[in-house]
Amino acid sequence: MTMGSAINPVANIHIKHCNIGAYKGLQNIELRDLNVINVLTGNNNSGKTSILELLETLEDPENIYRWYAGVRFWNARYRSSQVFDGIRLLFPIDSQEYKILYSFMEASGDEHSIELHADIEERKFSSEQIYQINKKYGIFPDESDSGYIIDGKCMNLTSSIDGKQNDTVTIYDFQGDLLRRIVEKKIVFFKTLYLSTVAHVSHRFSLSDILRDAEMHQSLVDLLKIFDANIKNITIINERPVEYGFVLDNCNEAIPISSFGDGMKKTIILAAYLLQAKDGILLVDEFETAIHTSAMDEVFAWMAEAALRLNVQIFMTSHSEEAINKLLRIGYKEYINVYTLYKHEGINYVRRLAGEEAIHATDTLRLDLR
């Protein structure tokens, strides 16, 4: 299972510091001296997932669709209002100003600042204007109601990077979707991949790069043996849509991955995302989800080893004291930091512990890291 021969002992930490001035319920949050693996923990609603959402925009912060990834409600009944209201709720909830602000320092020492600003205005719209705006997004409302006038709102969104302002994008409260091609996609800072708590349920992932890499392929097979000792290979069993399966020692045909448990699916998708995040940043929400405690030691060790090999910096959230403690004891403590988020009298605070400090705090001081 080891990939140790390929590890560079000096890991490249892409982001050294990050300061969040304002985003959703977060204000003046400072993450200092970031490591290869950064665990974000704390009570519910302390802002852990919000930090992942914000870091995801690093790949392309001038593209409004990147920011829209932070919108969490996807009820189809209210689809027409999700774009406008969803983006509006990204802005600080206790401020009269619609402004998101964060900054970060690269390992090289270069510093950057990102802002997203919104102006909201009320206007009257004719049925023809509404039709033409929605048509742009591939939505064709009923034209039989032509001639009416409604009161509506529009939001003018402007992002800026290091003080340089980008083109303004306007969205409307009757807009039914968001155009992905608002700006030409380009990687501005780092490649970022976000792995949600339910991604392993969708089965939408690619293993093609893993299957082409003989060492990674065998390493993943060895890891999956902790779930089923009979696994001897992973292969493609259907091209369109792509479906993967396991070849077992005692079976003549490959069995679809979808037939196995969530723990195995979570491990596979974690591996797929790690490989895709090569030389970039992986964001994992509740990294222990679906992984049984008996498998955590080996899965977490594999994850850390792969991150070092692939030059991936990881940010991940957790509610589990057991999972955090197991992660700290897999043999990579020098590459792990734990950040505990909490609020006191409405003010955000962060407690940072390096791996060795976190182990001492739990073993000697009996401190709950959460």
Side-chain angles (χ1 to χ4, degrees):
M1 188 173 75
T2 181
M3 297 177 290
S5 61
I7 289 179
N8 180 352
V10 181
N12 181 14
I13 297 172
H14 306 302
I15 302 176
K16 186 64 177 174
H17 308 299
C18 181
N19 297 293
I20 302 172
Y23 178 72
K24 288 189 174 179
L26 297 173
Q27 289 190 336
N28 302 317
I29 286 286
E30 186 175 29
L31 302 176
R32 302 287 299 175
D33 300 316
L34 292 163
N35 212 327
V36 178
I37 299 175
N38 304 279
V39 180
L40 307 174
T41 187
N43 293 330
N44 289 330
N45 205 34
S46 59
K48 302 181 295 296
T49 300
S50 294
I51 291 175
L52 300 189
E53 293 170 357
L54 201 59
L55 292 176
E56 189 180 7
T57 68
L58 280 171
E59 180 163 333
D60 196 13
E62 64 180 299
N63 189 337
I64 300 304
Y65 201 89
R66 271 284 170 183
W67 294 89
Y68 190 50
V71 176
R72 298 187 194 175
F73 51 93
W74 292 92
N75 189 324
R77 290 181 59 191
Y78 303 103
R79 181 69 179 175
S80 62
S81 64
Q82 282 186 3
V83 175
F84 186 93
D85 289 338
I87 291 180
R88 180 175 56 83
L89 291 173
L90 299 180
F91 292 91
I93 56 179
D94 297 326
S95 175
Q96 297 298 315
E97 185 179 20
Y98 290 102
K99 185 176 182 179
I100 296 170
L101 171 66
Y102 73 99
S103 61
F104 67 95
M105 177 188 290
E106 297 184 55
S108 63
D110 292 339
E111 297 186 59
H112 305 280
S113 62
I114 313 293
E115 291 188 29
L116 182 66
H117 183 269
D119 287 316
I120 297 178
E121 59 178 317
E122 296 185 3
R123 288 169 47 187
K124 292 187 180 297
F125 296 90
S126 69
S127 57
E128 177 61 23
Q129 287 175 310
I130 294 172
Y131 176 80
Q132 292 299 329
I133 288 169
N134 277 308
K135 182 179 177 181
K136 176 181 178 182
Y137 300 95
I139 298 170
F140 300 92
D142 188 356
E143 293 182 85
S144 62
D145 294 329
S146 59
Y148 62 82
I149 302 292
I150 68 165
D151 293 321
K153 294 180 181 179
C154 61
M155 181 187 301
N156 301 309
L157 292 161
T158 307
S159 63
S160 64
I161 302 172
D162 297 335
K164 182 181 179 181
Q165 187 170 299
N166 299 303
D167 294 338
T168 297
V169 174
T170 301
I171 60 173
Y172 306 87
D173 63 350
F174 52 78
Q175 183 174 323
D177 208 342
L178 189 66
L179 194 64
R180 286 178 180 266
R181 298 180 299 278
I182 287 175
V183 296
E184 181 182 354
K185 184 183 183 305
K186 58 182 179 179
I187 296 178
V188 178
F189 294 114
F190 304 103
K191 174 169 52 178
T192 61
L193 277 83
Y194 174 73
L195 181 58
S196 74
T197 57
V198 296
H200 61 283
V201 179
S202 69
H203 313 308
R204 295 177 182 174
F205 53 86
S206 173
L207 298 177
S208 57
D209 289 338
I210 290 179
L211 299 185
R212 284 194 294 265
D213 185 321
E215 185 180 12
M216 181 69 78
H217 186 175
Q218 187 58 50
S219 175
L220 181 57
V221 169
D222 291 342
L223 175 65
L224 293 174
K225 285 179 181 292
I226 68 174
F227 298 97
D228 189 328
N230 292 315
I231 292 175
K232 65 179 182 180
N233 197 11
I234 305 171
T235 187
I236 296 175
I237 59 177
N238 189 40
E239 292 287 349
R240 293 185 180 179
V242 175
E243 185 176 10
Y244 302 96
F246 295 127
V247 179
L248 305 181
D249 287 329
N250 53 357
C251 293
N252 295 325
E253 296 183 3
I255 300 175
I257 286 177
S258 58
S259 301
F260 289 80
D262 284 345
M264 187 178 292
K265 296 172 191 172
K266 175 64 177 285
T267 301
I268 291 171
I269 198 169
L270 181 60
Y273 271 60
L274 260 170
L275 193 64
Q276 292 175 60
K278 186 177 186 297
D279 299 320
I281 295 172
L282 178 62
L283 310 162
V284 185
D285 206 1
E286 297 184 23
F287 71 94
E288 75 280 359
T289 298
I291 300 176
H292 192 270
T293 55
S294 62
M296 284 182 178
D297 289 343
E298 292 184 77
V299 172
F300 295 166
W302 189 95
M303 176 185 66
E305 196 171 8
L308 289 165
R309 179 194 181 205
L310 299 169
N311 189 29
V312 175
Q313 187 175 21
I314 301 178
F315 293 81
M316 53 194 191
T317 70
S318 179
H319 288 286
S320 171
E321 182 180 15
E322 181 178 22
I324 295 171
N325 283 326
K326 282 183 172 291
L327 176 69
L328 289 167
R329 289 164 170 79
I330 58 174
Y332 294 89
K333 61 187 177 183
E334 68 270 29
Y335 297 112
I336 301 171
N337 285 356
V338 178
Y339 296 85
T340 304
L341 280 65
Y342 60 98
K343 283 187 177 182
H344 179 66
E345 296 182 351
I347 300 175
N348 298 111
Y349 294 93
V350 179
R351 180 186 67 211
R352 172 193 170 276
L353 292 174
E356 186 65 49
E357 295 172 324
I359 292 173
H360 174 74
T362 56
D363 291 352
T364 305
L365 305 179
R366 302 302 178 187
L367 178 69
D368 185 340
L369 297 175
R370 301 169 301 167

